[in-house]
Amino acid sequence: MLQVNNATKELAMVGEEISHELGAKMIKDFQDANPNDKTGNYIGRSILESILAQPDCMGICFYNAINEMGEKTLVYVGVDGNEKVITEYVGINAAGKLVKQKGIVADRGGKPPSNDDEKSWWEWLFDII
């Protein structure tokens, strides 16, 4: 039987839900302090699920980065139960053989969603709370 140690369970539990008010305040505080900075990144479900589906993946680490066009972005990778970036893992190919596969390194997020042309998405969130 597979045993999961407490440290691994704790890694999978990092992060927590916060209130709308606190989230909006944190975003507004950042934007007020950095008015010319990028407001955020949008990341689709498909790539997040692919990263999390890697064997022993307990979560995702987001790294601040600069893309090829000199723009701020995020690079995101899976993290295993030993708090290590998943650089490779053993998978099964189409012939049913075990093969080493590279861990997923992702980018290409998009612009955060907006609810109307007048306000950014964080301003909209702040208005509804």
Side-chain angles (χ1 to χ4, degrees), residues 31-119:
Q31 290 300 304
D32 288 348
N34 303 280
N36 297 320
D37 210 337
K38 188 174 180 180
T39 58
N41 288 291
Y42 173 81
I43 302 166
R45 179 182 186 136
S46 181
I47 190 64
L48 294 175
E49 288 177 344
S50 294
I51 292 170
L52 290 170
Q54 294 173 112
D56 193 34
C57 187
M58 295 292 116
I60 299 174
C61 188
F62 296 87
Y63 291 97
N64 293 317
I66 303 289
N67 67 18
E68 306 90 336
M69 286 129 342
E71 302 165 331
K72 288 184 179 182
T73 189
L74 295 174
V75 170
Y76 27 106
V77 295
V79 177
D80 68 18
N82 294 313
E83 297 185 62
K84 305 283 186 211
V85 170
I86 299 172
T87 57
E88 66 180 21
Y89 60 91
V90 176
I92 300 173
N93 69 13
K97 296 191 180 210
L98 294 177
V99 294
K100 283 189 178 178
Q101 297 182 345
K102 289 184 177 184
I104 297 170
V105 178
D107 180 29
R108 307 296 183 245
K111 182 179 175 187
S114 178
N115 290 308
D116 61 41
D117 293 334
E118 302 290 320
K119 295 181 180 178

